[in-house]
């Protein structure tokens, strides 16, 4: 029973999440009209050295000063 209790506790710790929000200022102007359509992509590293996408933000259209919506990622 002691071993299983420890395992259960470790699994419960893995359910924690972090709330994040990002913004940017004065990004490069990437289109003809002098605006950008920025977004962010977050990856996590795997034990084998590869990477897996764990979150993509929404695209914030026509701005060089985006503010993305807050989001949670499990840790």
């Amino acid at each position: 029973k002691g071993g299983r209790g420890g395992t259960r506790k470790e699994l419960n710790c893995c359910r924690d999440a972090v709330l994040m929000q990002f913004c940017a200022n004065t990004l490069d102007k990437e289109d003809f009209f002098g605006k950008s359509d920025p977004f962010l992509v977050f990856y996590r590293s795997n034990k084998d050295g590869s990477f897996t996408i764990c979150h993509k933000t929404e695209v914030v259209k026509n701005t060089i000063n985006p503010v993305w919506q807050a989001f949670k990622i499990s840790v």
Side-chain angles (χ1 to χ4, degrees):
K1 286 186 179 181
R4 287 185 178 187
T7 302
R8 206 172 304 127
K9 184 176 182 180
E10 289 174 21
L11 292 175
N12 286 337
C13 291
C14 294
R15 293 183 186 164
D16 291 340
V18 64
L19 178 64
M20 295 191 282
Q21 184 174 26
F22 291 89
C23 65
N25 292 312
T26 320
L27 295 176
D28 290 340
K29 297 174 182 176
E30 297 294 332
D31 69 15
F32 182 74
F33 300 106
K35 298 286 183 175
S36 293
D37 297 331
F39 62 94
L40 301 172
V41 180
F42 294 85
Y43 297 85
R44 74 166 186 259
S45 61
N46 301 310
K47 290 181 181 182
D48 66 1
S50 64
F51 292 88
T52 303
I53 294 174
C54 59
H55 184 77
K56 293 181 187 179
T57 65
E58 74 280 7
V59 174
V60 181
K61 294 198 176 260
N62 299 317
T63 184
I64 59 171
N65 300 303
V67 177
W68 289 277
Q69 294 177 12
F71 60 93
K72 283 185 183 180
I73 293 183
S74 60
V75 293

